[in-house]
């Protein structure tokens, strides 16, 4: 009985090691999924396919469960292809086709000094550096107090749950945020819409909906890049802690 | 007298009608587009185009090619053909051909003014202007601060001068005013062109009325859709619609108050010629609307060639060439971005 109880008890040191490993693997998982999403936003078909293939190979090697993963791989590849089709660059080409090459070209971009629509701020924390993206208001070029806390969007994994590689939720989360931004009639949302229209004014005031869609795609891609940087920072810090603990234990 | 053009048309217009029909037979066919859709790179596109009328214009272009280069060179072909026809034309055909270029002039004026507002170099802007819309004093547009100066310094000596009467204000040029100026000029131009064709009479008036009315209606729909969610008021939107066309005046009244694409659909579906266009797109979607309108336009332009002894064939050829260049631009973009599966989203076959 005592032996059974002992075997049932979890070694606290081993639990910490397992936590670190779990954290590292989850960070790696999130990092790879985010890279997929951003690549699809920016139209890198070949890269998406390679990353997804490598990720699924890793899952097959670690879990040894073939059929479920092959089904998941098919679903994820389908989503990647669908996402690729909605890339920002392609939508820009669509807008150029609709409005004409002279209206949508680099020649009309504004050369005046102006504040950026989005600024990034690096914040140091225990788990490493994190980047916050700030969207600026249209008033006198001063950045508004609205902060898009992207690191909080990262899927949190509880230790007691099994890890599940679902479809990339980043794109869906950003769509929800954008749709919320479009629907909620708050001052900050209207400022965001005004800022978006102001950025597009170089192409004219009455622009095609395709150009607006391209703008949203590029915004989403930018947010994805920020999130990737944050996850990469977390990943590297987890990896370095893990290495340190292994060195200490050996 | 309508119906007797056969007696006298060929005296002055016979040669050029034959020329434009020859140009029409040089337009790309479905087989050409199928070959182009198989291309893997822009060099493949250039290779396939070398066997067409565009060959001489692209043969000396070095690799790597860019999409903008292909569009520019194909546009040069259209410009050469137009200039050949213009230099051989007599009145009233020469005036008719000049009317075709006023739309490009308006786009060039707006490009220069917008670019100057955003502190772009004038030479860069001039390089991006459409060749068919160039005029002597176009570079002087950069010095104007408001529309009154724009008119007084430059446009008073151009064919666009009569269209400026509704635009002249002392307000400074900003993005909204420029956009309103663009659409107001184009509205005045379309109405003037329409009246000119009515004066010509005969088959020219009949066919051009249909084509220009379709153009006016399409512009009304595009202005409505593009102004949804912007600061353009309903009254300002209503003022930008042309005073002719199938939608004038009751359709315009309804379009002016539309707030989304489904309301626009509800208005347009009351008009039988546009029911087929909106039947091709699903509710809430506007992505395929451009293609549906282009397909309808191409159908009407091709019908213009079924009759002889009128000037509408010249207008139809210019518009079909523009559509061909748009197709080539789209195919090139899809090939360059490795999105060949989307090529057929926007290519409109002419034959």
């Amino acid at each position: 009985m005592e032996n059974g109880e002992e075997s049932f008890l979890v070694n606290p040191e081993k639990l910490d090691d397992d936590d670190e490993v779990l954290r590292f693997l989850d960070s790696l998982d999130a990092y790879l999924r985010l890279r997929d999403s951003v690549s699809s936003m920016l139209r890198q078909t070949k890269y998406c396919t390679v990353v997804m293939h490598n990720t699924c190979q890793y899952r097959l090697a670690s879990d040894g469960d073939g059929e479920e993963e092959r089904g998941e791989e098919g679903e994820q590849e389908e989503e990647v292809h669908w996402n690729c089709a909605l890339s920002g660059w392609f939508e820009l080409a669509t807008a150029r086709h609709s409005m004409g090459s002279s209206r949508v070209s680099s020649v009309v971009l504004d050369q005046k000094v102006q504040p950026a629509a989005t600024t990034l701020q690096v914040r140091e924390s225990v788990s490493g550096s994190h980047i916050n993206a700030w969207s600026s208001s249209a008033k006198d070029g001063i950045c508004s107090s609205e902060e898009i806390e992207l690191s909080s969007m990262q899927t949190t994994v509880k230790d007691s749950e099994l890890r599940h590689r679902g479809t990339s939720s980043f794109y869906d989360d950003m769509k929800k945020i954008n749709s919320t931004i479009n629907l909620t009639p708050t001052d900050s949302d209207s400022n965001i819409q005004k800022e978006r229209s102001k950025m597009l004014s170089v192409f004219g005031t009455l622009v095609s909906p395709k150009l607006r869609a391209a703008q949203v795609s590029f915004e989403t891609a930018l947010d994805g890049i920020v999130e990737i940087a944050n996850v990469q920072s977390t990943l590297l810090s987890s990896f370095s802690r893990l290495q340190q603990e292994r060195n200490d234990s050996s | 007298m309508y119906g007797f053009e056969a007696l006298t048309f060929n005296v002055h217009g016979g040669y050029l009608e034959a020329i434009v029909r020859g140009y029409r037979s040089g337009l790309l066919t479905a087989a050409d587009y199928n070959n182009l859709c198989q291309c893997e790179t822009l060099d493949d596109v250039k290779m396939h185009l070398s066997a067409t009328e565009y060959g001489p214009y692209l043969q000396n272009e070095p690799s790597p090619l860019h999409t903008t280069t292909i569009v520019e060179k194909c546009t040069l072909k259209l410009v050469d053909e137009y200039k050949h026809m213009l230099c051989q034309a007599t009145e009233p055909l020469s005036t008719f051909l000049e009317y075709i270029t006023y739309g490009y002039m308006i786009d060039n004026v707006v490009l220069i003014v917008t670019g100057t507002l955003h502190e772009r170099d004038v030479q860069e802007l001039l390089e991006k202007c459409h060749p068919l819309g160039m005029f002597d004093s176009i570079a002087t547009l950069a010095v104007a601060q408001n529309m009154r100066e724009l008119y007084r310094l430059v446009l008073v000596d151009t064919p666009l001068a009569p269209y400026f009467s509704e635009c002249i204000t002392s307000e400074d040029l900003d993005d909204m005013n420029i956009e309103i100026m663009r659409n107001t000029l184009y509205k005045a131009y379309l109405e003037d062109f329409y009246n000119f064709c009515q004066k010509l009479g005969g088959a020219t008036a009949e066919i051009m009325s249909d084509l220009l009315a379709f153009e006016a209606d399409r512009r009304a729909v595009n202005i409505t859709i593009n102004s949804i969610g912007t600061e353009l008021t309903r009254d300002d939107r209503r003022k930008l619609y042309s005073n002719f066309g199938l939608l004038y005046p009751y359709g315009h009244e309804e379009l002016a108050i539309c707030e989304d694409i489904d309301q626009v659909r509800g208005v347009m579906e009351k008009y039988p010629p546009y029911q087929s266009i909106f039947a091709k797109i699903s509710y809430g979607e506007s992505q395929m609307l451009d293609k549906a309108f282009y397909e309808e336009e191409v159908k009407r332009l091709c019908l213009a060639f079924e009759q002889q002894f009128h000037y509408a064939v010249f207008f139809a050829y210019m518009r079909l060439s523009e559509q061909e260049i748009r197709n080539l631009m789209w195919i090139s973009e899809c090939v360059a971005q490795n999105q060949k599966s989307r090529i057929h989203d926007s290519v409109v076959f002419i034959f």
Side-chain angles (χ1 to χ4, degrees):
Chain A
M1 195 64 169
E2 286 182 353
N3 287 337
E5 283 177 358
E6 278 175 6
S7 66
F8 221 84
L9 284 174
V10 178
N11 185 348
E13 286 181 3
K14 188 163 183 282
L15 188 60
D16 287 341
D17 284 344
D18 287 344
D19 279 350
E20 284 301 325
V21 170
L22 279 173
R23 224 171 272 129
F24 170 73
L25 291 175
D26 287 334
S27 300
L28 180 65
D29 180 24
Y31 175 75
L32 290 173
R33 281 192 287 132
L34 282 167
R35 287 292 294 261
D36 289 345
S37 299
V38 171
S39 295
S40 68
M41 281 290 126
L42 296 176
R43 194 227 15 111
Q44 290 182 20
T45 311
K46 282 184 186 175
Y47 176 75
C48 287
T49 310
V50 167
V51 168
M52 290 307 299
H53 177 72
N54 289 342
T55 308
C56 292
Q57 286 290 336
Y58 165 74
R59 281 284 288 178
L60 282 169
S62 61
D63 294 345
D65 190 346
E67 282 187 25
E68 276 180 15
E69 300 312 318
R70 273 195 286 277
E72 271 184 329
E73 186 180 349
E75 286 171 11
Q76 287 160 355
E77 224 174 302
E78 189 178 339
E79 188 189 44
V80 164
H81 284 299
W82 182 78
N83 285 339
C84 285
L86 298 178
S87 66
W89 287 116
F90 190 74
E91 285 161 355
L92 191 62
T94 312
R96 193 180 294 123
H97 177 264
S98 173
M99 294 170 60
S101 303
S102 63
R103 284 191 71 182
V104 183
S105 69
S106 57
V107 173
V108 298
L109 292 177
D110 204 331
Q111 295 280 48
K112 288 183 198 167
V113 175
Q114 55 189 325
T118 306
T119 56
L120 303 178
Q121 182 188 43
V122 180
R123 182 171 53 85
E124 297 293 336
S125 67
V126 175
S127 59
S129 301
H130 285 265
I131 300 176
N132 288 352
W134 292 70
S135 66
S136 63
S137 170
K139 295 184 181 176
D140 302 324
I142 300 170
C143 288
S144 74
S145 58
E146 174 158 350
E147 173 184 354
I148 305 169
E149 180 58 57
L150 296 175
S151 56
S152 63
M153 280 178 53
Q154 191 175 351
T155 309
T156 54
V157 178
K158 295 176 187 173
D159 292 342
S160 58
E161 290 179 357
L162 292 173
R163 290 195 314 286
H164 170 67
R165 180 180 297 283
T167 55
S168 171
S169 62
F170 176 74
Y171 180 69
D172 294 330
D173 288 339
M174 285 312 299
K175 272 183 79 174
K176 280 181 199 163
I177 283 186
N178 287 333
S179 61
T180 306
I181 284 173
N182 289 332
L183 292 174
T184 310
T186 61
D187 288 342
S188 61
D189 296 335
S190 64
N191 280 341
I192 288 172
Q193 289 299 328
K194 277 185 192 165
E195 193 66 22
R196 280 183 176 157
S197 298
K198 186 184 168 195
M199 289 298 120
L200 285 185
S201 64
V202 292
F203 301 109
T205 313
L206 303 181
V207 296
S208 167
K210 295 167 188 173
L211 194 64
R212 298 184 205 277
Q215 184 186 36
V216 171
S217 291
F218 281 121
E219 279 179 10
T220 308
L222 179 64
D223 293 335
I225 289 169
V226 170
E227 182 62 13
I228 281 177
N230 286 336
V231 171
Q232 191 173 16
S233 171
T234 311
L235 177 68
L236 290 171
S237 70
S238 298
F239 183 68
S240 62
R241 274 204 301 276
L242 191 63
Q243 265 197 325
Q244 199 175 355
E245 283 185 10
R246 284 197 174 176
N247 290 339
D248 289 344
S249 60
S250 64
Chain B
M1 202 185 320
Y2 189 15
F4 290 86
E5 295 92 358
L7 294 175
T8 57
F9 184 88
N10 281 346
V11 174
H12 295 289
Y15 168 70
L16 284 176
E17 184 177 348
I19 290 288
V20 81
R21 286 182 184 273
Y23 287 155
R24 173 194 177 264
S25 63
L27 291 171
L28 299 179
T29 61
D32 292 321
Y33 284 119
N34 284 336
N35 288 338
L36 288 168
C37 292
Q38 307 297 325
C39 294
E40 294 289 332
T41 63
L42 292 181
D43 287 325
D44 291 344
V45 171
K46 175 185 163 186
M47 187 188 67
H48 283 289
L49 288 178
S50 65
T52 67
E53 304 281 330
Y54 294 105
Y57 294 88
L58 285 170
Q59 65 186 7
N60 294 327
E61 290 305 310
S63 294
L65 269 182
H66 294 284
T67 310
T68 48
T69 308
I70 293 176
V71 172
E72 281 168 13
K73 296 304 170 188
C74 294
T75 305
L76 282 182
K77 170 185 169 289
L78 174 63
V79 172
D80 287 346
E81 290 171 347
Y82 172 82
K83 285 182 178 172
H84 174 75
M85 292 192 290
L86 183 65
C87 72
Q88 301 281 343
T90 58
E91 285 291 342
L93 178 57
S94 55
T95 301
F96 183 90
L97 290 174
E98 283 169 1
Y99 262 104
I100 296 174
T101 64
Y102 293 169
Y104 300 114
M105 260 187 224
I106 293 170
D107 289 337
N108 287 351
V109 166
V110 173
L111 176 65
I112 299 284
V113 171
T114 304
T116 306
L117 184 68
H118 297 129
E119 297 185 3
R120 300 297 307 208
D121 181 50
V122 177
Q123 284 308 315
E124 283 181 16
L125 296 169
L126 289 173
E127 284 168 16
K128 278 291 177 183
C129 288
H130 198 288
L132 287 178
M134 298 297 280
F135 52 92
D136 291 336
S137 51
I138 190 170
T140 322
L141 287 168
V143 302
Q145 298 296 320
N146 54 50
M147 292 188 209
R148 198 176 293 278
E149 282 184 15
L150 207 63
Y151 175 76
R152 189 173 56 82
L153 292 176
V154 184
L155 298 175
V156 65
D157 296 322
T158 67
L160 301 181
Y163 309 146
F164 245 78
S165 58
E166 294 182 33
C167 296
I168 298 180
T169 63
S170 296
E171 287 180 21
D172 280 348
L173 293 165
D174 62 20
D175 293 316
M176 179 58 88
N177 289 343
I178 291 172
E179 193 68 34
I180 292 177
M181 179 184 78
R182 179 209 302 271
N183 288 287
T184 307
L185 286 177
Y186 209 92
K187 170 191 169 183
Y189 153 63
L190 276 184
E191 288 171 2
D192 189 31
F193 197 5
Y194 182 84
N195 293 333
F196 175 75
C197 293
Q198 294 298 308
K199 282 184 201 157
L200 290 176
T204 302
E206 182 187 347
I207 299 171
M208 285 303 296
S209 297
D210 178 61
L211 295 175
L212 291 176
F214 181 79
E215 175 72 15
D217 292 341
R218 182 176 62 178
R219 283 191 67 83
V221 172
N222 283 338
I223 287 169
T224 307
I225 291 174
N226 293 346
S227 62
I228 290 172
T230 66
E231 294 172 353
L232 193 70
T233 63
R234 289 177 178 180
D235 288 337
D236 286 341
R237 188 196 284 181
R238 176 67 186 84
K239 286 178 194 166
L240 299 181
Y241 300 147
S242 299
N243 293 330
F244 68 100
L246 193 61
L247 297 177
Y248 174 79
Y250 305 112
H252 289 169
E253 297 298 332
E254 292 183 53
L255 280 178
I257 59 175
C258 287
E259 297 294 337
D260 58 51
I261 183 72
D262 289 330
Q263 289 180 12
V264 173
R265 170 195 284 271
V267 171
M268 298 300 287
E269 282 181 339
K270 294 176 191 170
Y271 298 86
Y274 301 123
Q275 273 179 351
S276 59
I277 293 175
F278 281 83
K280 293 179 189 175
I281 60 175
S282 52
Y283 279 88
E285 182 208 348
S286 63
Q287 300 281 342
M288 305 301 288
L289 187 60
D290 280 337
K291 184 181 178 186
F293 268 113
Y294 286 140
E295 283 174 343
E296 179 66 22
E297 184 188 25
V298 163
K299 206 187 322 177
R300 294 177 185 224
L301 292 170
C302 288
L303 283 176
F305 285 91
E306 299 298 317
Q307 258 185 283
Q308 276 186 282
F309 313 125
H310 62 88
Y311 295 156
V313 287
F314 299 96
F315 178 82
Y317 174 70
M318 297 295 288
R319 287 301 169 96
L320 287 174
S321 287
E322 278 178 34
Q323 181 60 49
E324 187 171 86
I325 292 170
R326 255 196 305 272
N327 287 344
L328 290 174
M329 187 218 79
W330 179 253
I331 291 171
S332 303
E333 287 281 357
C334 289
V335 167
Q337 294 192 33
N338 201 21
Q339 296 273 7
K340 281 166 52 180
S341 59
R342 301 292 298 272
I343 282 182
H344 293 283
D345 284 359
S346 293
V347 168
V348 177
F349 294 107
I350 296 174
F351 300 116

